[in-house]
């Protein structure tokens, strides 16, 4: 079965046999921890362990997959990495949405201004009046907030798409350190990778481990697989202004998890299988997943302190700063996350253990998630008026509000 095959890859020692770091090969192979400097050593897929990141590739309808891949080839500007996400690709259970919803895409590119220059020349109609200021202005606007520039309501290759453009270094950094949780948060949930890149695959594997550990810190000792995926899916929406002002379906997280359990299982089951602090009960090898599965984590401060130590650097720095204030401890003794090239520790310090066992852990981690998500998401929403244009911006907001009203009026129809 598919799940068994995935577990076999994880447990096969050849799966971890290759290395990209001559300084500490076993360190990378064992836990996928790396610095940004380490990431730059990745040049091709053969630099990765055999079968590495297979869990990231989620199957979708073959016709849609080929249609999406053909859509990418319509762009003359080079796209290094691309994925599709949202209700246009994966069901979120809503019957009130349009029969053919807009398909959301993210393009990772090497040189932002050059890419927009080529794309404006080919597709000027995709852009708002901002294009008249030139590709340099477009690139500067892109760099605001989370570093993504969206063109919505584009009709191409028989589809209506919204595509976001991001510099591949910006994408990789957010996956590694959680500067904004904007793009890393989208990749916490199932997406369809249409064009892959070895650096991004490696960084995203660490991103998936990071959100799994964060979710475990937020969860009690015993929980269900559904609870785990709901916690994971909710992280990137926590603090998002669109949820607070009523521009998103309040059932969105529940709909995503309930309708995509098998995809979450494919994405995270191989990673869960490698963590020593989780015990399983139920038919965990079944596919699709068995709803009776329950999980239990070791609440020992040492093990949980190890998880704190392995959190993404920018995110961990905020946690350290908060607990340094709460506990009266100098965080510089433990926090090296601001130093370039530092590989995160695999073993938690006494400070990490104190954080992991503190009674306010869930509250403080949740507060820091809000702090991380809120400002970049707000800037992205605000600049949408300039990047999409007033008419498209109003249309997009109207559709979001309509989905929310439908969910509140007929909640059963959106589940």
């Amino acid at each position: 079965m598919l799940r068994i095959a995935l577990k076999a890859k994880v447990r096969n020692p050849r799966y971890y046999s290759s290395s990209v770091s001559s300084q500490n090969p076993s360190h990378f192979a064992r836990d996928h921890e790396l610095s940004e400097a380490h990431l730059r050593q990745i040049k091709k897929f053969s630099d990765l362990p055999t079968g590495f990141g297979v869990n990231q590739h989620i199957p979708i309808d073959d016709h849609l997959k080929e249609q999406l891949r053909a859509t990418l080839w319509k762009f003359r500007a080079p796209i290094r990495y691309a994925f599709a996400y949202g209700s246009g690709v994966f069901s979120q259970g809503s019957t009130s949405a349009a029969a053919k919803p807009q398909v959301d895409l993210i393009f990772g590119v090497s040189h932002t201004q050059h890419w927009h220059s080529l794309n404006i020349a080919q597709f000027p109609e995709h852009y708002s009046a901002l294009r008249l200021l030139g590709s340099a202005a477009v690139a500067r606007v892109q760099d605001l907030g989370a570093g993504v520039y969206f063109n919505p309501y584009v009709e191409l290759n028989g589809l209506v798409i919204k595509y976001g453009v991001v510099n591949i270094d910006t994408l990789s950094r957010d996956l590694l350190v959680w500067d904004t949780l904007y793009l890393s948060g989208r990749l916490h949930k199932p997406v369809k990778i249409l064009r892959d890149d070895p650096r991004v695959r490696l960084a995203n594997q660490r991103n998936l481990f990071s959100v799994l550990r964060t979710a475990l810190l937020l969860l009690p000792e015993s929980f269900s697989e559904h609870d785990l995926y709901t916690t994971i899916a909710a992280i990137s929406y926590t603090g998002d202004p669109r949820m607070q002002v009523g521009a998103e379906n309040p059932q969105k997280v529940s709909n995503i998890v309930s309708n995509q359990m098998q995809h979450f299982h494919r994405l995270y089951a191989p990673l869960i299988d490698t963590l020593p602090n989780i015990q399983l009960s139920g038919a965990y090898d079944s596919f699709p997943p068995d709803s009776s599965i329950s999980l239990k984590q070791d609440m020992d401060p040492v093990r949980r302190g190890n998880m704190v130590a392995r959190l993404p650097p920018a995110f961990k720095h905020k946690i350290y700063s908060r607990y340094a204030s709460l506990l009266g401890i100098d965080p510089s003794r433990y926090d090296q996350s601001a130093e370039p090239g530092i590989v995160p520790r695999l073993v938690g310090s006494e400070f990490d253990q104190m954080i992991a066992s503190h009674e306010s852990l869930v509250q403080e981690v949740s507060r820091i998630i809000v702090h991380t998500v809120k400002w970049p998401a707000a800037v992205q929403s605000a600049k949408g008026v300039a990047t999409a244009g007033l008419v498209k911006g109003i249309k997009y907001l109207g559709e979001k509000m309509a989905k929310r009203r439908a969910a509140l009026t007929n909640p059963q129809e959106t589940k």
Side-chain angles (χ1 to χ4, degrees), residues 121-154:
Q122 182 184 7
F123 296 121
E125 70 278 10
H126 291 186
Y127 291 80
S128 69
L130 188 62
R131 74 183 186 280
L132 300 176
L133 299 177
S135 59
V138 171
R140 283 195 293 270
V141 171
Q142 177 177 315
D143 288 340
L144 300 174
V148 190
Y149 189 103
F150 283 104
N151 284 325
Y153 299 108
V154 170

Side-chain angles (χ1 to χ4, degrees), residues 56 81-85 104-109 112 142-150 162-191 193 200 203-205 207-208 211 232 235-237 240 242 267-268 372-373 376-377 380 383:
Q56 298 178 27
Y81 181 82
F83 66 86
Y85 65 99
D104 297 305
L105 298 163
I106 294 291
F107 298 161
V109 306
T112 303
Q142 177 177 315
D143 288 340
L144 300 174
V148 190
Y149 189 103
F150 283 104
K162 178 184 75 175
Y163 64 92
V165 182
V166 62
N167 185 279
I168 201 133
D169 291 333
T170 301
L171 170 60
S172 298
R173 178 174 173 82
D174 194 44
L175 293 172
L176 285 178
V177 305
W178 285 13
D179 278 330
T180 69
L181 270 172
Y182 192 83
L183 291 170
S184 53
R186 274 167 170 70
L187 285 161
H188 292 164
K189 299 173 280 291
V191 305
I193 297 171
V200 178
N204 191 40
Q205 198 76 339
N207 177 47
L208 297 176
V211 76
I232 287 172
I235 284 174
S236 63
Y237 291 111
D240 190 329
R242 294 173 302 173
L267 194 59
Y268 288 104
T372 303
V373 170
Q380 284 292 146
K383 77 180 188 182

Side-chain angles (χ1 to χ4, degrees), residues 9 19 24 30 43 97-98 119 124 126 133 180 185 199 201 219 224 233 303 310 321 324 339 371 380 393:
K9 281 182 176 293
S19 169
N24 196 350
R30 180 174 61 249
K43 303 297 183 184
N119 202 49
H126 291 186
L133 299 177
T180 69
R199 286 176 54 202
R201 187 189 293 189
L219 287 164
S224 69
R303 286 197 181 275
R310 299 179 194 186
S321 295
E339 298 180 29
H371 181 267
Q380 284 292 146

Side-chain angles (χ1 to χ4, degrees), residues 30-337:
R30 180 174 61 249
D31 204 50
H32 321 293
E33 303 284 1
L34 68 158
S35 67
E36 290 181 78
H38 192 163
L39 186 70
R40 294 190 186 97
Q41 298 178 39
I42 302 294
K43 303 297 183 184
K44 51 190 181 297
F45 285 104
S46 60
D47 291 332
L48 298 173
T50 303
F52 182 89
V54 65
N55 55 303
Q56 298 178 27
H57 285 271
I58 306 296
I60 62 170
D61 174 77
D62 285 340
H63 174 72
L64 177 60
K65 178 180 68 176
E66 294 308 316
Q67 193 176 17
L68 290 170
R69 285 179 172 172
T71 300
L72 295 188
W73 287 110
K74 298 290 184 181
F75 291 85
R76 294 173 192 159
I79 300 168
R80 282 183 54 185
Y81 181 82
F83 66 86
Y85 65 99
S87 59
V89 183
F90 299 103
S91 170
Q92 293 181 10
S94 175
T95 59
S96 60
K100 295 180 67 175
Q102 182 173 233
V103 175
D104 297 305
L105 298 163
I106 294 291
F107 298 161
V109 306
S110 297
H111 306 288
T112 303
Q113 182 178 341
H114 180 61
W115 196 94
H116 284 296
S117 178
L118 295 174
N119 202 49
I120 289 171
Q122 182 184 7
F123 296 121
E125 70 278 10
H126 291 186
Y127 291 80
S128 69
L130 188 62
R131 74 183 186 280
L132 300 176
L133 299 177
S135 59
V138 171
R140 283 195 293 270
V141 171
Q142 177 177 315
D143 288 340
L144 300 174
V148 190
Y149 189 103
F150 283 104
N151 284 325
Y153 299 108
V154 170
E155 296 185 20
L156 198 62
N157 197 36
L159 295 171
V160 177
I161 67 172
K162 178 184 75 175
Y163 64 92
V165 182
V166 62
N167 185 279
I168 201 133
D169 291 333
T170 301
L171 170 60
S172 298
R173 178 174 173 82
D174 194 44
L175 293 172
L176 285 178
V177 305
W178 285 13
D179 278 330
T180 69
L181 270 172
Y182 192 83
L183 291 170
S184 53
R186 274 167 170 70
L187 285 161
H188 292 164
K189 299 173 280 291
V191 305
K192 179 56 186 176
I193 297 171
L194 301 169
R195 191 168 293 175
D196 208 351
D197 177 88
R199 286 176 54 202
V200 178
R201 187 189 293 189
L202 179 57
N204 191 40
Q205 198 76 339
R206 170 149 175 217
N207 177 47
L208 297 176
F209 268 111
S210 294
V211 76
L212 181 57
R213 292 186 177 112
T214 303
L216 290 173
L217 292 173
L218 292 170
L219 287 164
E221 182 176 7
S222 298
F223 51 92
S224 69
E225 191 175 11
H226 190 276
D227 293 336
L228 174 62
Y229 301 150
T230 299
T231 303
I232 287 172
I235 284 174
S236 63
Y237 291 111
T238 303
D240 190 329
R242 294 173 302 173
M243 300 296 287
Q244 298 172 353
V245 302
E248 281 286 5
N249 181 351
Q251 303 294 329
K252 190 176 185 73
V253 171
S254 175
N255 290 345
I256 289 172
V257 176
S258 297
N259 289 281
Q260 299 176 39
M261 272 290 291
Q262 72 276 22
H263 298 321
F264 276 97
H265 186 86
R266 179 187 179 95
L267 194 59
Y268 288 104
L271 309 189
I272 293 170
D273 195 48
T274 69
L275 296 182
N277 55 321
I278 299 182
Q279 297 177 352
L280 311 171
S281 66
Y284 197 64
D285 286 342
S286 66
F287 197 91
D290 183 346
S291 60
S292 67
I293 295 170
S294 63
L295 299 91
K296 185 176 182 180
Q297 62 172 317
D298 189 339
M299 302 299 282
D300 178 73
V302 173
R303 286 197 181 275
R304 288 172 68 78
N306 292 344
M307 291 199 296
V308 172
R310 299 179 194 186
L311 292 175
F315 188 74
K316 182 175 66 175
H317 179 72
K318 295 172 185 175
I319 292 177
Y320 276 10
S321 295
R322 176 58 179 162
Y323 274 97
S325 176
L326 286 176
L327 302 175
I329 292 176
D330 179 7
S332 63
R333 293 170 50 195
Y334 306 99
D335 187 8
Q336 297 176 314
S337 56

Side-chain angles (χ1 to χ4, degrees), residues 358-411:
H358 199 272
E359 60 183 9
S360 69
L361 178 65
V362 173
Q363 176 185 344
E364 293 301 332
V365 170
S366 299
R367 188 187 68 83
I368 290 165
I369 291 171
V370 171
H371 181 267
T372 303
V373 170
K374 191 172 184 176
W375 175 248
V379 173
Q380 284 292 146
S381 296
K383 77 180 188 182
V385 176
T387 59
L390 184 60
V391 174
K392 288 183 178 179
I394 293 174
K395 179 180 179 182
Y396 182 73
L397 180 60
E399 288 186 356
K400 289 289 188 180
M401 297 290 286
K403 288 182 179 180
R404 176 180 173 84
R405 286 194 298 271
L408 293 174
T409 303
N410 300 296

